[in-house]
Amino acid sequence: MTFYVQLPIPLLVIDSVFAVRWVLAALVLCATTLVHSQTAPVTDMGKVEITSGRDNDTQQRRESTASKIVIGREEIEKQGDANIGEVLKRMPGITLGGNPGRGGGVRMRGLSAGYTQILLDGQRVPPGFSIESLTPEMVERIEIYRAPTAETGAQAIAGTINIITREGRRGMPSELKLGSSVQGGYLSPNGSYTTYKEFENWSSNFTFSMYENATPDYSETVLSRQYTSTSTTLARTRVNDSSSTRDGFNSTGRLQFKGEPGETLTLMPFVVYSRSHNSGTIALSQTQTVSGTSTASTDSANTSGDGNFGMARLNGQWRRKLSADSTMEWKFNTGGWDSTSHTYQTPTGGGSVLPSLSQSATTRDRSVSLNGKYTNVLGGGHQWVSGAEIEVVRRTQTAQPVYTEGDGNMQARTLKYAIYTQDEKQFTPNWSGHGGLRYEQMSTYGNNGETEATNRIGVFSPLLHALWKPNPEGRDQIRMSLTRSFKAPWMQSLLARYTPSRDDVGSNANIATNPGSKGNPALRPEVALGLDVAVERYLPDGGVMSAAVFHRRVSNLIRNVTSLETISGYSSQLYVSIPQNVGNAITQGIELEAKFRLNQMVADAPAVDIRSNISFYESNVINIAGPNNRLDQQPSMTANLGADYRFRSMPFTAGGNINMNPGYTTHSSEYQWLYVSQKRVMDVYGLWRVDPNTSWRLTLSNLSPLSYNTNNLYNSTSLYEDSTTRNRNWTNIQIRMEKKL
């Protein structure tokens, strides 16, 4: 048995220009808030606290030793979003992948998929889980941790998002929401129902959502290719025009049983089912020139596909008070998901370029985990927590024939375990600290139909957090964290057998810009040493202003590397894309946030709630020449500006938000560059309260939609290729009735 354990290494000196930007931004924020505090004196009238839900969320954030943001029910349901991803995109440092206004993977600090840890009720979500499957009606609150802790887990280089499913409370009415949206001329109805019941020794709440989501898709790709060692060129235009429909239901629940004093058992079932269908056309035209002779051709095809996805999970938590100062807590998570898909392509223009395809894939995933945690409150603001975790995952995957890049027949299982301890203490009225140690080991075993492979990794993570209040009774505080976190390689990247590209045909046959793919069982985890510092001011009448800076030094960075490889069964070497540990990288940034009511800053102004944040990022992959040698999919900036206002003269609330990400270029390898265009998404809403129990909501998402453009450039001594894809987007209009029963 072998382990990969890397001890912390000293941080590199942070880039001086970027550091100056951090300091200036923090000084501007502090000066602004100090001026405000001096112009708004407060008369001491004793301790009187009247708090709303939003104030409670802010108080949780303020009192936490580890840096976190808490999003409560009020903010979750405010904009009438379709899914939790849309809620998160307005938070500081959160970005969404994919087309603007169309959802996508949730990322923190601009880093790509896998760097952000997603938890559901405090436990890691199972493989295959998509945050898009959660609607706002299913969620009680969201906790965003900017730095990892021993208890939440260290697989969080960018941070952790913990989603807490809906909780019941005494007197909570049942809620019914019915509505429909339209996008690009396609209608998408939806509805949800939430209810809460309480009896003598137990309580329950249940949320059920149904939907049908229909969307158009249109993209146009223009490609120019030149083999520089010969006189061969290719110019091609490909237009994809299709539509897709997905319908299904989601359901969450919470059953809580109360036993002896201090003893509770909570069961949290979660069920998702969806089916999808898409159909469309491909139109292709190209001109190929060989030795001065040009040949023009066209081709076309009809496409269609269908799929099914089902997932069922049961989370459980048993909590028992052992004494006045100690508690034992057990958590379990069991369940799985199944996915099937079929894709067809039927040539209608001769089939010389677009071949006939009939492909299918089936994936079956099962997992179970068990966590135990012991908590001892020692008094004087001192608390000690220790625990252990174990998880087993089994996956079976089949494809007939080979489906897409990275897919194929595979059987694999993963065994994970972790042990941790952490100590949180209030040292003085000014200082509190939080220190933890965590060790995680992961073993993956698999057979991809060609070979068997094993990968074992182990990572030790020391984690330190500190909170300093210059005045214990004041509203200013500074947070500091020094942590070690990691990103484990995915099962697919370890075990996938050689798979040709789906477009490996004709002029696209296995070239450097259209390689096959293969896994690498020798991958090691990416490990990051991180520093976080944040300055926060909590305003007297609610609201917060903060400036947070971070620095991560990442070792053993994983990237796909394309090279000529010898593949069994092929007579000549082929271009293959293989994930490899390529070296080190640095990422750093600053995140500024301001939430307040306008009349807190400007006398006699209306009570408009203002939400704003802006974040700046930069990164460098050490072994790739700059400029633009950034980490994959990390923009240089992300920003949000939003406002909400509840009219006094009528039962009407209006608001909106603008989300912006600039375009950026990534130099991803020696010969490859990727450009992604800017994203700008503007949403507005209006809420009319007909009576205390009935409301109507109108939401317009992605007003003035922009096309989403990507450009891939490959430039080597033997091949030059420039490919640009334009994806069209549409405004989404939704109307919904909300009723308390």
Side-chain angles (χ1 to χ4, degrees), residues 171-184:
M172 172 179 157
S174 298
E175 298 176 358
L176 176 66
K177 298 181 180 181
L178 297 173
S180 184
S181 64
V182 61
Q183 181 177 197

Side-chain angles (χ1 to χ4, degrees), residues 48-66:
V48 179
E49 295 186 2
I50 302 175
T51 61
S52 66
R54 177 173 55 185
D55 296 330
N56 290 334
D57 300 333
T58 302
Q59 192 66 16
Q60 286 187 50
R61 171 179 179 174
R62 182 179 180 182
E63 293 177 353
S64 173
T65 306

